[in-house]
Amino acid sequence: MKREDVLVKIPALLHLAKLGYGYLSGREIRRDRETNILTERLRGAVERVNEVSLAEETFERMMADFRSLLREADSGQGFYRVLREGWNGLKILDFDHPEKNDFIAGTEIACGTGKQRFRPDITLFINGLPLGMMELKAPDQPGGLKGEYDRMCRRFCQKCFLPYLQATQIWLFSNDREESGLHVPPKDGAYYTAGAPADFPVYPGPDKSAKRPKELRQPDRETERAILEDNGMGAVRPGRTNPETPTHRLLTGLAAPGRFLFLIRYGILYERMQAEDGKSAWRKRLLSWEQLEALRRAEGKTRRGFRNWRIACPGKTGRTLQGAALISLLRDRLPEREIGWVLEDAEESREAEADFRKLGLDADAVRVLTAESIRARDENSDLTQRTAGACRQDIPAEHVHGQGKRKCPMEKPGIYILEAQRTNYRTERSAASVLRRTDQGAILITMGEAPVRERGYFTYLLECADGSLYCGWTNSLEDRVRAHNAGQGAKYTRSRRPVKLVYWESYGTKHDAMSREWHVKRMTRAEKMALIRQETAEKDGKKDGKEEKNG
């Protein structure tokens, strides 16, 4: 028996049983060889979710459509649309009621035939569909996960594997070690991706600081015995598994039934890209762990009826992607409201509109507005009441995008998403303040990087009492600086107190912050001082600008 099976794979299967997964023994697999779809389970699940009885012809037609979609070279976009929207009026997955779906895990299920095949360590099925695959290595395996990374890249170049790979919505990798943080993709750790690592970002899973979810429950003893017997460990008595290992944190955070469905529904997006031959093609995009957690908190706030709240976005580069996912969530939860994306600059508004169109969001899904068009509403006292239903005629057309027509910024009860960096609720002429006066029933959402006091990932520089500089990374700046000054931080700073925070950068992932720390530590003192001076100059410039404006 392989070491990776004993140390990682079998404990992972037992942990999945605690999350509510059944186990698919290799001796009782009945599947469609071309796609690995478990046909009997799919048919039973569709009938249960929709409360109908499927005729044999209807189910055969469904399977034929699935095979055709999975053979299309569209990065799985057609099949994903069926998962979200259903097939011929029938729901394939019940996103709102996870308990109605069938979750099951199998091991070493072959993809392909003959010599052209591979066997993922674990395959995750929802309603008979192979929507997740997991590759595992022993913690002491030489080279870590590099070998799996290379093999994955080669498989995505082979057409014979296309149906299996496009059915898979998420790939999980782990060697049950904490992240090394210095390799892309990571040599060690537990991480996930939407497809071939060569083409798609690789995101680390939850770290130790993540709150432990409540999805764990008492496992089914029959399932545990089946897992052990099927993997040659029938004489072993089931025992406790540690929920805090990197592999188990990854499974709990992403593969737990409710979370897996949430990821499929909102965490995956498709972007239309321009290929080199001039043709358009779909590219699969995936949210990071931090973005998914922010989106889950946003869902909770909509459910509880919050009117004003904030969603943290890790960095400006992922803001449009996370914004598109947030818009999809809001359209599902609050379909009676119109959604507006408010930006300060007209040029930024045009860019955002183009980005949303690439992600499949048209003008009916989101209205891209400028802050100037919002402020213009406050200038005419006759139009401050939303119930009047009138549209300002003096709003310049360039401030409201969409076919060059003059439109009222919002014609139904609105949800406005504003950039947090540009939002100042205390300024009477700010877009947020105007919206509060002119649209009292609106929901205001600010979106931007988390401030220092919130949890995030940071690379920082400290100035010690002897004038030397210390570089580190953390997920809480205030707590880490306090720990350094209490003598509970790094050994280097313990004898050089007090220390002072002189520079910091925020990142969306732990991997990025650790990577930046590695590079900063290799800088000379002069280069580090240049970073500090640049930061100080930018702050002084902003301060002078405010003083001139006030003067």
Side-chain angles (χ1 to χ4, degrees):
M1 183 175 292
K2 297 179 182 178
R3 282 177 57 78
E4 66 187 53
D5 292 354
V6 177
L7 297 177
V8 187
K9 188 178 81 172
I10 294 174
L13 289 169
L14 294 172
H15 188 75
L16 286 167
K18 292 183 178 180
L19 292 173
Y21 279 75
Y23 177 68
L24 183 67
S25 173
R27 293 186 291 271
E28 57 184 39
I29 295 176
R30 295 189 183 95
R31 60 190 170 97
D32 176 62
R33 298 285 176 177
E34 188 178 342
T35 60
N36 272 0
I37 293 175
L38 309 178
T39 51
E40 291 183 2
R41 287 183 176 273
L42 173 62
R43 183 172 182 173
V46 172
E47 290 179 340
R48 181 176 63 255
V49 166
N50 296 278
E51 299 181 351
V52 297
S53 178
L54 287 181
E56 188 66 32
E57 287 184 11
T58 304
F59 183 69
E60 286 300 326
R61 203 163 60 248
M62 177 191 291
M63 284 300 303
D65 285 353
F66 284 3
R67 294 187 194 102
S68 176
L69 288 170
L70 291 172
R71 284 194 295 265
E72 292 287 335
D74 61 352
S75 299
Q77 192 266 350
F79 181 69
Y80 174 74
R81 187 187 298 128
V82 170
L83 292 179
R84 277 213 61 178
E85 301 174 6
W87 179 85
N88 285 2
L90 295 173
K91 288 192 292 187
I92 304 301
L93 304 175
D94 193 334
F95 293 105
D96 297 319
H97 305 92
E99 68 280 359
K100 290 187 177 181
N101 299 282
D102 179 30
F103 293 85
I104 197 163
T107 179
E108 303 292 341
I109 298 175
C111 298
T113 56
K115 294 182 178 180
Q116 294 292 323
R117 64 178 180 175
F118 68 96
R119 294 176 179 272
D121 291 319
I122 297 176
T123 304
L124 304 177
F125 296 89
I126 305 181
N127 293 350
L129 300 172
L131 302 184
M133 291 191 185
M134 190 168 195
E135 295 287 1
L136 302 165
K137 286 295 176 188
D140 56 356
Q141 180 80 18
L145 295 165
K146 183 68 167 62
E148 290 298 339
Y149 170 83
D150 294 337
R151 281 190 286 274
M152 167 71 91
C153 293
R154 289 196 295 270
R155 288 168 190 156
F156 268 82
C157 298
Q158 297 176 267
K159 289 186 178 180
C160 60
F161 296 140
L162 192 63
Y164 310 102
L165 301 177
Q166 293 200 145
T168 304
Q169 302 303 304
I170 183 173
W171 287 84
L172 307 169
F173 296 85
S174 179
N175 65 350
D176 219 26
R177 297 182 67 176
E178 298 297 340
E179 298 167 53
S180 60
L182 302 180
H183 302 272
V184 181
K187 178 183 173 183
D188 299 313
Y191 61 91
Y192 67 101
T193 181
D199 300 321
F200 298 97
V202 172
Y203 295 117
D207 61 14
K208 289 182 178 179
S209 65
K211 290 183 179 179
R212 182 177 172 182
K214 301 178 181 178
E215 282 83 354
L216 295 178
R217 61 188 188 187
Q218 188 67 27
D220 178 53
R221 294 302 178 190
E222 291 296 325
T223 302
E224 285 190 331
R225 278 196 290 271
I227 291 170
L228 294 171
E229 290 174 3
D230 201 49
N231 288 276
M233 297 181 68
V236 178
R237 185 178 178 181
R240 292 183 178 181
T241 58
N242 180 9
E244 298 302 328
T245 67
T247 303
H248 296 168
R249 290 200 307 264
L250 182 69
L251 289 171
T252 305
L254 293 172
R259 289 171 175 261
F260 200 175
L261 288 172
F262 186 85
L263 184 150
I264 293 172
R265 191 176 191 181
Y266 299 118
I268 297 172
L269 299 99
Y270 279 85
E271 182 179 11
R272 189 176 290 279
M273 307 292 290
Q274 199 72 20
E276 294 180 0
D277 57 3
K279 297 181 180 179
S280 61
W282 289 104
R283 184 192 179 197
K284 193 174 182 180
R285 303 292 301 274
L286 187 65
L287 295 186
S288 69
W289 163 255
E290 291 78 17
Q291 291 172 322
L292 281 170
E293 283 300 284
L295 209 59
R296 284 175 60 84
R297 288 192 290 271
E299 182 188 37
K301 290 181 185 295
T302 59
R303 191 169 55 247
R304 294 193 294 272
F306 280 63
R307 284 293 181 86
N308 299 281
W309 42 277
R310 175 185 182 127
I311 179 170
C313 177
K316 189 173 181 179
T317 54
R319 192 166 303 159
T320 305
L321 187 67
Q322 187 174 359
L326 175 62
I327 290 165
S328 296
L329 186 150
L330 294 172
R331 292 183 71 195
D332 288 341
R333 296 291 183 263
L334 302 167
E336 73 283 357
R337 288 181 177 266
E338 193 173 355
I339 302 171
W341 184 274
V342 182
L343 293 166
E344 191 73 25
D345 186 80
E347 182 62 31
E348 288 183 354
S349 299
R350 282 187 283 270
E351 291 176 3
E353 187 176 34
D355 290 340
F356 284 138
R357 301 302 171 261
K358 289 179 183 178
L359 291 166
L361 297 175
D362 55 19
D364 292 332
V366 57
R367 295 280 303 282
V368 181
L369 309 167
T370 64
E372 187 61 33
S373 68
I374 299 296
R375 283 191 284 267
R377 303 170 67 186
D378 201 33
E379 295 172 3
N380 191 333
S381 58
D382 295 334
L383 296 169
T384 55
Q385 299 294 326
R386 277 191 73 79
T387 54
C391 177
R392 275 196 60 94
Q393 301 300 317
D394 58 343
I395 298 177
E398 62 269 18
H399 293 321
V400 183
H401 300 291
Q403 309 300 324
K405 297 179 181 178
R406 294 184 177 184
K407 297 180 181 179
C408 187
M410 302 286 267
E411 297 173 3
K412 295 192 291 184
I415 303 174
Y416 296 91
I417 305 172
L418 308 95
E419 282 196 33
Q421 291 87 339
R422 306 285 183 89
T423 303
N424 186 347
Y425 291 101
R426 296 181 181 180
T427 304
E428 197 166 323
R429 288 284 296 152
S430 70
S433 297
V434 172
L435 288 170
R436 286 189 172 189
R437 290 194 300 273
T438 62
D439 192 350
Q440 296 181 2
I443 296 175
L444 302 186
I445 304 170
T446 56
M447 193 171 187
E449 293 186 44
V452 176
R453 64 180 178 275
E454 293 188 6
R455 186 167 295 282
Y457 296 97
F458 307 92
T459 304
Y460 63 90
L461 281 172
L462 299 177
E463 184 180 8
C464 301
D466 62 358
S468 61
L469 297 174
Y470 172 81
C471 178
W473 78 272
T474 183
N475 58 11
S476 178
L477 273 176
E478 290 182 348
D479 293 342
R480 189 59 178 163
V481 174
R482 193 180 299 114
H484 279 294
N485 279 318
Q488 299 171 353
K491 182 178 179 181
Y492 182 85
T493 60
R494 202 170 299 155
S495 59
R496 293 171 172 83
R497 293 178 284 162
V499 299
K500 180 174 68 172
L501 180 67
V502 291
Y503 180 80
W504 60 272
E505 298 174 0
S506 63
Y507 291 94
T509 66
K510 174 183 173 182
H511 173 261
D512 290 342
M514 292 178 71
S515 179
R516 178 58 172 163
E517 177 201 22
W518 186 83
H519 286 95
V520 172
K521 280 186 173 180
R522 279 148 185 79
M523 290 182 178
T524 63
R525 177 179 173 83
E527 290 172 330
K528 293 175 184 175
M529 291 302 296
L531 285 177
I532 297 170
R533 284 194 296 271
Q534 181 182 354
E535 178 74 7
T536 305
E538 288 179 0
K539 289 181 179 178
D540 290 344
K542 291 178 182 178
K543 185 177 179 180
D544 293 342
K546 288 181 180 179
E547 289 177 354
E548 289 177 8
K549 189 174 181 180
N550 293 334

